[in-house]
Amino acid sequence: MTPEHARLVAALRELRAGAGLSLAALAERTAYSKSSWERYLNGKALPPRQAVQELCRLADRPPGRPLALWEMAESRWSGRSAATPQPASSSSTGSSAEGPPPRPVEAATTDGPRRRLGRSRLLVLLASVYSVIVGGVAVVLLVLLPESEAPRAEPSPSSVPFSFAPLCHGAACEGRDPMRLICGIGPDTLATHRTATGAHVELRHSEKCGATWVRTWGTEIGDRVEVTADGPTHSVRIGNAEDAAAFVYTAMTEATVGGTVRACFRPASADHERECFEARVTEPSTRPSSPSVRPGSERA
């Protein structure tokens, strides 16, 4: 399974958990069978784009981010992302043009110089082709492998059904993407808050990763959310209309049991105040069914 596909599966499982639907219920409410959903959520098959849209609808979540993840996974799955651009025609002609011009027939007493000239042209041409191939492969690898540790940690869907091991824990997760490092599968919601502008802000925590982050949606361009525990503050800004129409996540911060994490929402509009709230990381068995929120407002 590719890293792109793994991130898509993590997002689909989160949507399914948010919808609270079993495989049988998904089959009843969509055009896809129970066995199909099992393959989609287990990473055994890439779901159709329509299936991703249907799951977003059932979970009452914006489809922007899941569909973007699907586009990346489908591109890698189909092999379209591995297509290498054709080398420019000038690469071979330019190499030939740089060589010495052929000598006139009457000026050559033997064909030795011609043979040496032919060999040099052939070597230049082969070197050019080799450079294009090696360079193309390097570019493709740099584009398709966003993090060096991701390929080593790819899970095997046949041996680990419905379970992906997170790729970091504790301090190793600091400042990193929760979805990319498989920490976004089945996280806990420590607290949730709806801002005065109508945006939703959630403090999310992964016990397996020992880290917390903020998820937000229903935002406006220019809004910013922050998360802080005992370490640095990590923030993310809503940069465009696509961000505003999708889930947006901050980077993770290490959070241990007993610690307190704080989320802040900074609205783009100067007419509204900054809103902050806190939550305490507790053992799963002691967490209330409805997370408590202690909101506060400050001038931005």
Side-chain angles (χ1 to χ4, degrees), residues 15-99:
L15 287 169
R16 179 202 171 191
L21 297 175
S22 64
L23 295 178
L26 287 175
E28 292 176 359
R29 290 165 172 78
T30 67
Y32 307 95
S33 66
K34 178 180 177 181
S35 59
S36 294
W37 280 113
E38 186 274 334
R39 291 194 298 272
Y40 302 156
L41 295 170
N42 196 23
K44 296 178 181 178
L46 185 72
R49 179 185 176 91
Q50 184 63 32
V52 177
Q53 292 176 316
E54 286 294 297
L55 189 54
C56 290
R57 178 183 61 82
L58 292 172
D60 193 24
R61 293 290 186 265
R65 181 180 176 84
L67 289 179
L69 292 173
W70 181 88
E71 291 286 351
M72 291 187 291
E74 194 278 334
S75 178
R76 185 74 180 274
W77 183 283
S78 63
R80 290 188 293 108
S81 61
T84 305
Q86 293 295 327
S89 59
S90 60
S91 62
S92 59
T93 58
S95 299
S96 299
E98 293 176 2

Side-chain angles (χ1 to χ4, degrees), residues 1-275:
M1 182 184 299
T2 64
E4 293 85 356
H5 193 187
R7 290 195 288 272
L8 173 62
V9 170
L12 294 180
R13 292 185 181 180
E14 186 172 2
L15 287 169
R16 179 202 171 191
L21 297 175
S22 64
L23 295 178
L26 287 175
E28 292 176 359
R29 290 165 172 78
T30 67
Y32 307 95
S33 66
K34 178 180 177 181
S35 59
S36 294
W37 280 113
E38 186 274 334
R39 291 194 298 272
Y40 302 156
L41 295 170
N42 196 23
K44 296 178 181 178
L46 185 72
R49 179 185 176 91
Q50 184 63 32
V52 177
Q53 292 176 316
E54 286 294 297
L55 189 54
C56 290
R57 178 183 61 82
L58 292 172
D60 193 24
R61 293 290 186 265
R65 181 180 176 84
L67 289 179
L69 292 173
W70 181 88
E71 291 286 351
M72 291 187 291
E74 194 278 334
S75 178
R76 185 74 180 274
W77 183 283
S78 63
R80 290 188 293 108
S81 61
T84 305
Q86 293 295 327
S89 59
S90 60
S91 62
S92 59
T93 58
S95 299
S96 299
E98 293 176 2
R103 298 176 62 184
V105 174
E106 60 271 17
T109 57
T110 67
D111 58 355
R114 285 193 176 191
R115 290 176 181 175
R116 288 194 295 271
L117 180 60
R119 292 192 192 99
S120 64
R121 286 182 175 177
L122 179 59
L123 290 175
V124 170
L125 180 59
L126 291 175
S128 300
V129 173
Y130 178 80
S131 299
V132 170
I133 293 175
V134 173
V137 171
V139 169
V140 170
L141 290 176
L142 287 174
V143 171
L144 297 182
L145 300 180
E147 297 202 41
S148 59
E149 69 272 16
R152 297 196 300 269
E154 286 181 17
S156 172
S158 58
S159 61
V160 191
F162 292 100
S163 176
F164 294 107
L167 304 183
C168 68
H169 182 80
C173 297
E174 191 72 47
R176 308 183 74 180
D177 188 332
M179 301 303 293
R180 177 173 294 177
L181 297 186
I182 322 297
C183 295
I185 297 181
D188 297 307
T189 299
L190 300 180
T192 183
H193 176 63
R194 183 164 186 176
T195 70
T197 62
H200 294 264
V201 182
E202 287 183 342
L203 269 170
R204 310 281 275 175
H205 178 76
S206 170
E207 182 182 8
K208 292 182 178 180
C209 292
T212 299
W213 63 95
V214 165
R215 178 176 76 167
T216 185
W217 70 95
T219 52
E220 299 177 359
I221 298 175
D223 290 346
R224 183 183 295 274
V225 290
E226 303 172 346
V227 63
T228 308
D230 294 329
T233 297
H234 301 293
S235 66
V236 65
R237 180 180 178 275
I238 311 303
N240 51 47
E242 293 182 359
D243 288 346
F247 289 122
V248 175
Y249 303 80
T250 67
M252 292 183 285
T253 186
E254 181 182 12
T256 57
V257 173
T260 299
V261 291
R262 176 182 175 89
C264 287
F265 174 80
R266 295 176 177 267
S269 173
D271 297 333
H272 294 87
E273 300 175 340
R274 182 176 72 167
E275 301 176 48

